[in-house]
Amino acid sequence: MQNNPLDHAARVLAETDPARRYHAAKAAAEAAAAPYERVADEAVEDLIAQHGGNVAAAARELGLTRQALYMRDKREKTGGGAGAAAAEQVQPARHFNSPQEAEDALRDWALDQQEVTDQLDVLLLGALAAGADPVTISELSGVPLATLRRIRPGGNITVSRLNEYGPEIEDFARAVHARAAALRAAAATKAEHRSASIWQHAARAIVTNVAPYALMPDPGIHVEDFDTAEEFAEALSTREPSEEEKAEDEREPSRLAVLSHDGYLAATYLVFRREAARERLPFEETPEEIAAGEAVQAAFGELADAILHLRTTGQVPPALLEAS
């Protein structure tokens, strides 16, 4: 006897933890969609056959790119479609000591995927703003054209005015660090301590990833003394650090981000904005915990606003300078 889908839906809705409810609902939706995905895959095969094997013609009829339809057809033929079982297990499964450990590993993977998605979102907008061909963007990124049309705003795309090695980044990092220090010194309640902690972690991450020299003594090398940003970066990276800088590196080594400085800030903005809009967490029940949670959300919102101002104007927000 098959399980009643309504009973399964009731169990999903009864899950109290929002994150678990989200993942359970996604898994249930994918399981329910699997039979229809198989029907769709078979329909694609039939349509390609009707066009005499011409994938491009079939793609035009379905309103898809040739690459998207080709990849879907290839996935279906190799057994990679939704709900399809692999013909052969090439490598052993990862070992987990418990179902909970496996779920935790999947959550970590999901968080990593969200970070990649955040980076991709700003990359797609930047490519569209630069005038790159949407079809090429779709083929290189795997993002459907319909999605690109949906994420593109009705007017012009706002492009960052932030200079990669401009002094504004260093000034911004110093201002965030000073603001964090001021909040930490004045904190008295749990809400104030939580807010100060968010600013402190954000300041450390920003300095580490986009302004590793912001809190160091003046190195005597300034961007205005060079013709290009590359020459300035080379001079900074090859200079001999002072004893004070060496001691600071031993306490907390700086590293340059894999992303560009503006790319890092763009992805970080999305993370902060998402945290500012999150739902109340299960443990936030008492008035003290509720106030602390709201303070955390407010801190993320203020940081997101500050990054947005920096990227769209190329200047440190005046309010941040005043508050620090």
Side-chain angles (χ1 to χ4, degrees):
M1 181 178 179
Q2 294 184 343
N3 293 330
N4 187 334
L6 294 178
D7 292 340
H8 186 70
R11 288 196 297 273
V12 171
L13 292 170
E15 175 60 62
T16 57
D17 181 80
R20 295 174 71 90
R21 186 165 69 249
Y22 168 83
H23 291 298
K26 291 284 286 184
E30 290 171 3
Y36 299 102
E37 283 290 334
R38 284 195 292 272
V39 172
D41 288 337
E42 292 169 1
V44 167
E45 261 199 336
D46 292 344
L47 184 61
I48 293 175
Q50 284 183 8
H51 285 280
N54 190 325
V55 177
R60 282 195 297 272
E61 186 169 342
L62 293 176
L64 300 174
T65 66
R66 182 186 183 282
Q67 181 71 9
L69 187 57
Y70 172 79
M71 293 303 295
R72 181 185 184 111
D73 184 52
K74 181 179 179 182
R75 179 197 65 191
E76 194 276 331
K77 288 179 178 177
T78 56
E88 179 183 358
Q89 184 179 346
V90 178
Q91 60 176 315
R94 177 175 167 179
H95 172 76
F96 293 105
N97 293 317
S98 67
Q100 185 61 50
E101 184 179 331
E103 292 178 12
D104 290 342
L106 287 169
R107 288 193 183 89
D108 290 341
W109 175 84
L111 290 174
D112 290 340
Q113 289 298 109
Q114 183 62 62
E115 291 183 6
V116 172
T117 300
D118 289 343
Q119 296 172 19
L120 179 59
D121 285 349
V122 295
L123 181 61
L124 293 174
L125 282 173
L128 289 169
D133 178 28
V135 174
T136 302
I137 296 174
S138 175
E139 291 177 348
L140 292 174
S141 65
V143 175
L145 282 170
T147 301
L148 291 176
R149 286 193 291 268
R150 188 167 62 249
I151 69 172
R152 180 165 192 158
N156 293 329
I157 297 174
T158 301
V159 179
S160 175
R161 299 182 183 179
L162 189 60
N163 295 322
E164 286 295 312
Y165 292 97
E168 296 84 3
I169 296 181
E170 307 288 332
D171 292 342
F172 180 77
R174 281 190 284 268
V176 173
H177 188 272
R179 172 68 170 154
L183 289 172
R184 191 167 61 252
T189 65
K190 175 179 285 191
E192 290 169 344
H193 279 291
R194 289 265 182 90
S195 178
S197 178
I198 296 301
W199 276 86
Q200 183 177 4
H201 287 300
R204 185 180 297 117
I206 289 170
V207 168
T208 300
N209 287 280
V210 302
Y213 301 101
L215 304 182
M216 297 293 186
D218 185 352
I221 300 177
H222 307 103
V223 65
E224 58 268 18
D225 298 329
F226 297 86
D227 295 328
T228 66
E230 289 75 15
E231 292 177 358
F232 174 56
E234 177 67 18
L236 281 177
S237 63
T238 57
R239 61 181 281 273
E240 182 64 26
S242 66
E243 293 302 319
E244 185 176 354
E245 290 172 322
K246 291 179 181 177
E248 180 66 24
D249 281 342
E250 290 179 0
R251 288 193 293 273
E252 186 174 343
S254 296
R255 64 178 178 86
L256 293 177
V258 175
L259 287 174
S260 69
H261 294 169
D262 183 57
Y264 170 82
L265 289 174
T268 300
Y269 165 81
L270 293 176
V271 174
F272 286 175
R273 181 58 63 203
R274 188 163 53 247
E275 288 297 320
R278 68 165 173 79
E279 296 181 2
R280 183 180 298 173
L281 298 176
F283 63 83
E284 294 173 348
E285 296 179 346
T286 67
E288 184 182 36
E289 285 293 345
I290 291 174
E294 291 174 346
V296 166
Q297 289 179 270
F300 277 119
E302 291 169 3
L303 283 160
D305 290 342
I307 291 175
L308 180 62
H309 186 280
L310 175 70
R311 295 187 64 244
T312 54
T313 68
Q315 301 295 323
V316 182
L320 181 58
L321 291 174
E322 294 170 3
S324 60

PDB file of all heavy atoms in Angstrom, residues 8-20:
ATOM      1  N   HIS A   8       2.057  12.537   4.411  1.00  0.00           N
ATOM      2  CA  HIS A   8       3.451  12.993   4.386  1.00  0.00           C
ATOM      3  C   HIS A   8       3.515  14.520   4.493  1.00  0.00           C
ATOM      4  O   HIS A   8       4.358  15.071   5.200  1.00  0.00           O
ATOM      5  CB  HIS A   8       4.134  12.520   3.100  1.00  0.00           C
ATOM      6  CG  HIS A   8       5.604  12.827   3.067  1.00  0.00           C
ATOM      7  ND1 HIS A   8       6.509  12.176   3.874  1.00  0.00           N
ATOM      8  CD2 HIS A   8       6.308  13.721   2.355  1.00  0.00           C
ATOM      9  CE1 HIS A   8       7.720  12.654   3.650  1.00  0.00           C
ATOM     10  NE2 HIS A   8       7.617  13.595   2.728  1.00  0.00           N
ATOM     11  N   ALA A   9       2.612  15.207   3.803  1.00  0.00           N
ATOM     12  CA  ALA A   9       2.575  16.669   3.859  1.00  0.00           C
ATOM     13  C   ALA A   9       2.287  17.143   5.277  1.00  0.00           C
ATOM     14  O   ALA A   9       2.863  18.132   5.746  1.00  0.00           O
ATOM     15  CB  ALA A   9       1.522  17.208   2.892  1.00  0.00           C
ATOM     16  N   ALA A  10       1.409  16.422   5.974  1.00  0.00           N
ATOM     17  CA  ALA A  10       1.082  16.787   7.351  1.00  0.00           C
ATOM     18  C   ALA A  10       2.307  16.659   8.254  1.00  0.00           C
ATOM     19  O   ALA A  10       2.532  17.495   9.135  1.00  0.00           O
ATOM     20  CB  ALA A  10      -0.048  15.900   7.870  1.00  0.00           C
ATOM     21  N   ARG A  11       3.124  15.608   8.028  1.00  0.00           N
ATOM     22  CA  ARG A  11       4.341  15.444   8.838  1.00  0.00           C
ATOM     23  C   ARG A  11       5.331  16.563   8.563  1.00  0.00           C
ATOM     24  O   ARG A  11       5.993  17.061   9.474  1.00  0.00           O
ATOM     25  CB  ARG A  11       4.971  14.084   8.538  1.00  0.00           C
ATOM     26  CG  ARG A  11       4.189  12.903   9.104  1.00  0.00           C
ATOM     27  CD  ARG A  11       5.039  11.634   9.116  1.00  0.00           C
ATOM     28  NE  ARG A  11       5.415  11.216   7.775  1.00  0.00           N
ATOM     29  CZ  ARG A  11       4.666  10.432   7.012  1.00  0.00           C
ATOM     30  NH1 ARG A  11       3.489   9.989   7.446  1.00  0.00           N
ATOM     31  NH2 ARG A  11       5.085  10.075   5.805  1.00  0.00           N
ATOM     32  N   VAL A  12       5.424  16.986   7.310  1.00  0.00           N
ATOM     33  CA  VAL A  12       6.328  18.081   6.959  1.00  0.00           C
ATOM     34  C   VAL A  12       5.868  19.371   7.628  1.00  0.00           C
ATOM     35  O   VAL A  12       6.656  20.109   8.227  1.00  0.00           O
ATOM     36  CB  VAL A  12       6.398  18.269   5.424  1.00  0.00           C
ATOM     37  CG1 VAL A  12       7.162  19.538   5.074  1.00  0.00           C
ATOM     38  CG2 VAL A  12       7.058  17.062   4.777  1.00  0.00           C
ATOM     39  N   LEU A  13       4.570  19.641   7.558  1.00  0.00           N
ATOM     40  CA  LEU A  13       4.026  20.873   8.153  1.00  0.00           C
ATOM     41  C   LEU A  13       4.145  20.866   9.664  1.00  0.00           C
ATOM     42  O   LEU A  13       4.218  21.937  10.292  1.00  0.00           O
ATOM     43  CB  LEU A  13       2.562  21.045   7.747  1.00  0.00           C
ATOM     44  CG  LEU A  13       2.315  21.342   6.266  1.00  0.00           C
ATOM     45  CD1 LEU A  13       0.825  21.254   5.957  1.00  0.00           C
ATOM     46  CD2 LEU A  13       2.859  22.723   5.905  1.00  0.00           C
ATOM     47  N   ALA A  14       4.187  19.679  10.269  1.00  0.00           N
ATOM     48  CA  ALA A  14       4.266  19.587  11.728  1.00  0.00           C
ATOM     49  C   ALA A  14       5.683  19.810  12.245  1.00  0.00           C
ATOM     50  O   ALA A  14       5.882  19.986  13.448  1.00  0.00           O
ATOM     51  CB  ALA A  14       3.772  18.212  12.189  1.00  0.00           C
ATOM     52  N   GLU A  15       6.677  19.825  11.350  1.00  0.00           N
ATOM     53  CA  GLU A  15       8.057  20.047  11.773  1.00  0.00           C
ATOM     54  C   GLU A  15       8.201  21.474  12.311  1.00  0.00           C
ATOM     55  O   GLU A  15       7.871  22.450  11.634  1.00  0.00           O
ATOM     56  CB  GLU A  15       9.007  19.836  10.574  1.00  0.00           C
ATOM     57  CG  GLU A  15      10.450  20.159  10.861  1.00  0.00           C
ATOM     58  CD  GLU A  15      11.032  19.321  11.982  1.00  0.00           C
ATOM     59  OE1 GLU A  15      11.079  18.086  11.835  1.00  0.00           O
ATOM     60  OE2 GLU A  15      11.415  19.921  13.006  1.00  0.00           O
ATOM     61  N   THR A  16       8.651  21.614  13.555  1.00  0.00           N
ATOM     62  CA  THR A  16       8.708  22.929  14.201  1.00  0.00           C
ATOM     63  C   THR A  16       9.945  23.728  13.825  1.00  0.00           C
ATOM     64  O   THR A  16       9.911  24.963  13.789  1.00  0.00           O
ATOM     65  CB  THR A  16       8.664  22.780  15.735  1.00  0.00           C
ATOM     66  OG1 THR A  16       9.751  21.937  16.155  1.00  0.00           O
ATOM     67  CG2 THR A  16       7.345  22.169  16.181  1.00  0.00           C
ATOM     68  N   ASP A  17      11.049  23.042  13.547  1.00  0.00           N
ATOM     69  CA  ASP A  17      12.269  23.758  13.196  1.00  0.00           C
ATOM     70  C   ASP A  17      12.163  24.258  11.748  1.00  0.00           C
ATOM     71  O   ASP A  17      11.982  23.462  10.826  1.00  0.00           O
ATOM     72  CB  ASP A  17      13.486  22.839  13.336  1.00  0.00           C
ATOM     73  CG  ASP A  17      14.777  23.560  12.994  1.00  0.00           C
ATOM     74  OD1 ASP A  17      15.291  24.298  13.850  1.00  0.00           O
ATOM     75  OD2 ASP A  17      15.256  23.391  11.852  1.00  0.00           O
ATOM     76  N   PRO A  18      12.272  25.578  11.496  1.00  0.00           N
ATOM     77  CA  PRO A  18      12.078  26.112  10.139  1.00  0.00           C
ATOM     78  C   PRO A  18      13.054  25.535   9.125  1.00  0.00           C
ATOM     79  O   PRO A  18      12.671  25.243   7.987  1.00  0.00           O
ATOM     80  CB  PRO A  18      12.290  27.627  10.317  1.00  0.00           C
ATOM     81  CG  PRO A  18      12.039  27.890  11.760  1.00  0.00           C
ATOM     82  CD  PRO A  18      12.489  26.658  12.487  1.00  0.00           C
ATOM     83  N   ALA A  19      14.320  25.386   9.509  1.00  0.00           N
ATOM     84  CA  ALA A  19      15.317  24.864   8.566  1.00  0.00           C
ATOM     85  C   ALA A  19      14.993  23.425   8.171  1.00  0.00           C
ATOM     86  O   ALA A  19      15.026  23.056   6.992  1.00  0.00           O
ATOM     87  CB  ALA A  19      16.715  24.952   9.172  1.00  0.00           C
ATOM     88  N   ARG A  20      14.652  22.597   9.174  1.00  0.00           N
ATOM     89  CA  ARG A  20      14.311  21.202   8.895  1.00  0.00           C
ATOM     90  C   ARG A  20      13.028  21.120   8.071  1.00  0.00           C
ATOM     91  O   ARG A  20      12.895  20.262   7.184  1.00  0.00           O
ATOM     92  CB  ARG A  20      14.171  20.426  10.204  1.00  0.00           C
ATOM     93  CG  ARG A  20      15.469  20.322  10.996  1.00  0.00           C
ATOM     94  CD  ARG A  20      15.230  19.670  12.350  1.00  0.00           C
ATOM     95  NE  ARG A  20      14.951  18.252  12.203  1.00  0.00           N
ATOM     96  CZ  ARG A  20      15.889  17.307  12.211  1.00  0.00           C
ATOM     97  NH1 ARG A  20      17.152  17.634  12.325  1.00  0.00           N
ATOM     98  NH2 ARG A  20      15.568  16.036  12.091  1.00  0.00           N
TER      99      ARG A  20
END
